[in-house]
Amino acid sequence: MTHRDDPITPGDAPRGASQDAIEALSREDRTFPPPPGFADQANVRDPDVYERAAADPEGYWAKAARSLDWYRPWDTVLSWDPPNARWFDGGQLNVSVNCLDRHVASGHGDKVAYYWEGEPGDRTRITYAELLAEVCRCANALRGLGVGRGDKVAVYMPMILEMPIAMLACTRIGAVHTVVFGGFSAESLRDRINDAGAKLVVTADGGYRRGKPSALKVNVDDAIADGQAPSVERVLVARRTGQDVTMVEGRDIWWDEVVPRQAPECEPERMESEDPLYLLYTSGTTAKPKGIVHTTAGYLLGAAHTHRTVFDIKDDDVYWCAADIGWVTGHSYILYGPLANRTTGVMYEGTPDFPAPDRWWDIVERYRVSVLYTAPTAIRAHMKWGPQHAAGHDLSSLRLLGSVGEPINPEAWVWYHHHIGGDRCPVVDTWWQTETGAIMIAPLPGLTTTKPGSASRPLPGIEADIVDGDGNPVPPGSGGYLVVKGPWPAMLRGIHGDPERFQKTYWDRFPGTYFPGDGARRDEDGDYWLMGRVDDVMNISGHRLSTTEIESALVSHQSVAEAAVVGTPDDLTGEAIAAFVILKLGTEPSVAFGDELRQHVAAKIGPIAKPKTLLFTPDLPKTRSGKIMRRLLRDIAAGRSLGDTTTLADADVVETIRDASRAGRDEE
Ligand code: WT7
C-alpha cells in the first residue's frame, strides 16, 4: 500500500482545476477532428498504429529505435522483471552524438538549434555546428576539472544557452547531470547535491527575472559552505548578470576563463543503453524528494519519438516549449527530444508578461513559431490578461498547440484553440510525469478527434488502463486509478539510492503495475479524462509539490508546533497551497508572523512553495490513529474564500476543526 491517509475511492470528487474538467464532462460535447489539411500531411496517419503497437510493443519500439544512431546495435529489446526493465541491452550510443554530431555530419550544421531570447531583450541564435563545438569545449573543460563517466554533476542555472550546453557536455563524457530548478532554495539545492553525491556544480552568477537580476551563485555558496556538501570539489560559474559574486580560490572557476580555450572536438564516451543519463528530483508524499533515474537509450528514444509523433515535428518547424529546463518538460521537450529530431527551437529566459503581456506573442511572431507547448496555468494567465495581446500579433505561423502539467479545463482549451490557434491548430493535451520521461497519454494530431479537457488515449506502445481499488478495469463512464500495465522505454529505472521506496511508491498498490498517483475517468468512447492526484502531492501551476515537504518546512520554524498543508482549487494556478498552523505557546498569530512563516518556507524550499492561505488554528482534526484529516481540511479550505492573506483564527473554521477533532472520527 502507498502511504496515503485518505485514499480516494473511484468516483470521488477530484481536486484542483480538474474539478472544472469533470463537471464539464457531462456538458462537454464539443469535438475537434483533425483539420483535413493537417491530417493529410501528419507524421502519423495510419489509424492501425494503435493495434499494431499493442500486438507487438517490443517490435514497435525496436523499429522506432532504429532511427537513433548506435555504435553497436542492441542484443535484446526488453528484459522485464517488474519493476525492473532493461531496454536495448547490449546496445551502445551517445546522447550528444545523437543530438548533434549526426546532424552536422549529414550536412545540417548551419541549421539553427536554438533561437535564444533573453529577458532584458538580448537575442542570439546558435546553429547545430556551433552547439556541437560549444558542447565539446565544455565537455573537455569538465574532464579537465576531474569529471568522468558516472560522476554526478549538479546544474543550477538560469535559462541561458550554457545550461543545455552543460547538460549535453555531461552526456558526452558519460557524467550524470542532476538539474535543480533555479527557483529552489540553497537548502533544497544542498539536499539534492548530497543525495546525488555531485562532484561538480555548474551555475551562473545570476539570472534575470522580470528584468531584475536574481542570485544563483550565492545560493550555491550557501549550499556547500562549511563542508555541508562534502562531495562537491569544483564549481563552474557562467557569467550572465555581471553581479558581484565571491569566488572561492581552488574551488570556483569562471566558465569564460576555462571553456572557450578548450578544443572544439571531444571524443564521446560509448555509453551502454542502460547507463544512467540523469537524475531529476521530484516531490513525493514524504518530505524527502525522490531522485528519479533515467537511462540512456530508452529515455532518448521516448523523448525523441513522442516529440516527433505528438507534435508532428517536421524539418522546417520552429518549435517552442515555454517551460524551464529545470523541470522534466524542459529536459525532454526543450533539450533531448527536439535536438534528437534536429528541430529548430526557441529558448526563452523570462516570464510571459515582462515587459508586457504580449511578450510571448511577440516571440511567436518574430521567429515564426509553428508549434507551441505550454501549461494550462499560463493559458489561464493569458486569458486573464485578455485576447487583445495575442490579436495584436501575426500568429499565422502556428500549426499545432500543446498543453502539459495539469488537467486543462475546457474553457482554457477552447480559448487556446480559438485565440492562439486561430481555430486551425490541433491542440494536444499531453499527460505524463517526471517518472515516465516522455508523453504517455495524448492525441496523435493527424488521427485523433480531440475533446477539450481530455488527454485522449494512451499512445501507441503504451499500455495504460483505469482501474478500481481492486485493480479491475472500470467500465466506460466511470472513474478510478490510472495505471500503466507494461514497461515503456523512457520509464524511470528507480529512485536514486532507494529501491525500497521505488517499489513501495509505484508498484505495491497494484502489484506489477505502475501506479502514477493520478485519478482518471474513461468516457463512452474510451477517452481518458485526468482528474488530478489521488495522493498528498499538489500541483501548483504545473509544478509538483508535496504537502508533507511544506509541513516539514513550517514545523522547522521554532514557533510552530504543528502544521497541515492541503491543496485547494485555484482559478489561475490549478491548485493553491493552504496551510493550517498551530503555534507554540507564547507566539501570537498575526499577519506579520504569517508573512514571516511564508518567507521561512521560501528559504527552506523555494518561493513556489509559499502557502497562499495561512490559517492559525488551535487544533487539527485527526483520525483515531492520529492522522491529519486532510480531506476535511481541503473541504474547509475549498469551501471558504480564505483570500490571499493570513486568516486569523476564523471563528467558524476553528469551530469546524474543533468539532472534528473532538469527534476524532476515522475517515473511511
Ligand atoms: C503530474 C506530474 C509532465 C511534465 C510536467 C509535470 C500532472 C501532468 C498532465 C495533463 C492532467 C497532468 C499529473 C502528473 N499532469 N500533465 N496533461 N493532464 N494532469 O511533471 O512534476 O512530474 O508532475 O502532473 O498529476 O502525475 P511532474
Side-chain angles (χ1 to χ4, degrees), residues 220-558:
V220 175
D221 295 341
D222 259 20
I224 64 183
D226 308 322
Q228 293 181 89
S231 59
V232 176
E233 292 169 11
R234 308 297 301 258
V235 179
L236 181 61
V237 190
R239 232 184 273 269
R240 170 65 184 128
T241 59
Q243 64 196 282
D244 269 350
V245 298
T246 315
M247 297 294 278
V248 175
E249 185 72 36
R251 186 195 75 184
D252 302 348
I253 181 155
W254 285 107
W255 178 294
D256 55 18
E257 283 171 11
V258 61
V259 176
R261 58 181 160 83
Q262 305 291 323
E265 300 90 27
C266 170
E267 189 57 28
E269 286 282 333
R270 291 179 173 223
M271 304 305 289
E272 303 293 330
S273 290
E274 283 295 340
D275 277 338
L277 177 64
Y278 69 78
L279 303 178
L280 186 58
Y281 285 82
T282 188
S283 294
T285 51
T286 71
K288 192 173 148 39
K290 310 174 274 199
I292 302 302
V293 182
H294 282 295
T295 58
T296 304
Y299 171 80
L300 184 66
L301 171 63
H305 183 70
T306 52
H307 180 254
R308 200 183 73 80
T309 54
V310 175
F311 300 115
D312 191 50
I313 290 299
K314 303 285 169 26
D315 215 32
D316 56 357
D317 273 313
V318 178
Y319 161 89
W320 182 21
C321 168
D324 191 293
I325 297 179
W327 307 101
V328 76
T329 306
H331 281 58
S332 298
Y333 298 108
I334 296 179
L335 201 54
Y336 293 117
L339 293 183
N341 289 330
R342 204 212 294 146
T343 309
T344 292
V346 172
M347 186 175 156
Y348 174 49
E349 182 184 26
T351 45
D353 59 338
F354 188 86
D358 71 339
R359 180 74 157 130
W360 273 21
W361 317 125
D362 180 50
I363 292 174
V364 168
E365 178 174 0
R366 175 151 0 96
Y367 300 110
R368 306 290 301 154
V369 171
S370 54
V371 177
L372 175 66
Y373 191 29
T374 186
T377 188
I379 299 165
R380 291 192 296 266
H382 287 292
M383 285 170 78
K384 196 178 82 182
W385 300 326
Q388 69 279 13
H389 302 292
H393 291 275
D394 176 7
L395 306 185
S396 61
S397 54
L398 287 171
R399 65 179 199 92
L400 183 128
L401 303 173
S403 173
V404 62
E406 53 175 316
I408 180 164
N409 46 311
E411 292 66 27
W413 195 106
V414 168
W415 190 92
Y416 194 31
H417 183 262
H418 179 67
H419 290 287
I420 307 305
D423 294 322
R424 92 193 154 263
C425 306
V427 173
V428 293
D429 175 15
T430 62
W431 179 90
W432 60 296
Q433 312 177 291
T434 306
E435 291 89 335
T436 69
I439 298 170
M440 302 289 279
I441 304 178
L444 285 173
L447 289 172
T448 310
T449 292
T450 54
K451 300 170 186 166
S454 164
S456 179
R457 63 192 63 187
L459 289 173
I462 302 297
E463 199 194 342
D465 208 344
I466 302 173
V467 300
D468 63 21
D470 299 325
N472 303 312
V474 300
S478 315
Y481 303 99
L482 178 66
V483 294
V484 188
K485 287 158 82 184
W488 65 101
M491 69 192 282
L492 77 168
R493 298 300 194 270
I495 295 177
H496 182 62
D498 203 343
E500 211 175 297
R501 189 175 180 194
F502 175 54
Q503 172 71 39
K504 204 168 134 190
T505 308
Y506 306 108
W507 304 95
D508 278 357
R509 179 69 185 82
F510 302 105
T513 298
Y514 177 78
F515 175 53
D518 280 51
R521 184 181 287 261
R522 188 186 349 239
D523 70 18
E524 304 291 338
D525 302 327
D527 281 322
Y528 287 44
W529 299 74
L530 278 305
M531 296 167 27
R533 303 287 307 192
V534 296
D535 53 14
D536 292 333
V537 170
M538 295 176 292
N539 188 325
I540 316 295
S541 298
H543 299 319
R544 208 202 290 195
L545 288 164
S546 148
T547 53
T548 348
E549 202 177 343
I550 299 172
E551 284 163 6
S552 307
L554 286 166
V555 296
S556 74
H557 190 286
Q558 54 183 17

Side-chain angles (χ1 to χ4, degrees), residues 59-108:
Y60 176 81
W61 289 115
K63 182 167 178 239
R66 276 181 215 117
S67 65
L68 296 178
D69 217 41
W70 300 80
Y71 292 119
R72 185 186 185 282
W74 57 89
D75 302 318
T76 330
V77 177
L78 168 70
S79 328
W80 176 224
D81 180 14
N84 300 308
R86 299 184 63 87
W87 284 89
F88 308 111
D89 250 339
Q92 291 180 334
L93 74 170
N94 181 284
V95 167
S96 73
V97 169
N98 272 279
C99 289
L100 302 168
D101 303 59
R102 62 168 171 160
H103 307 322
V104 175
S106 64
H108 298 88

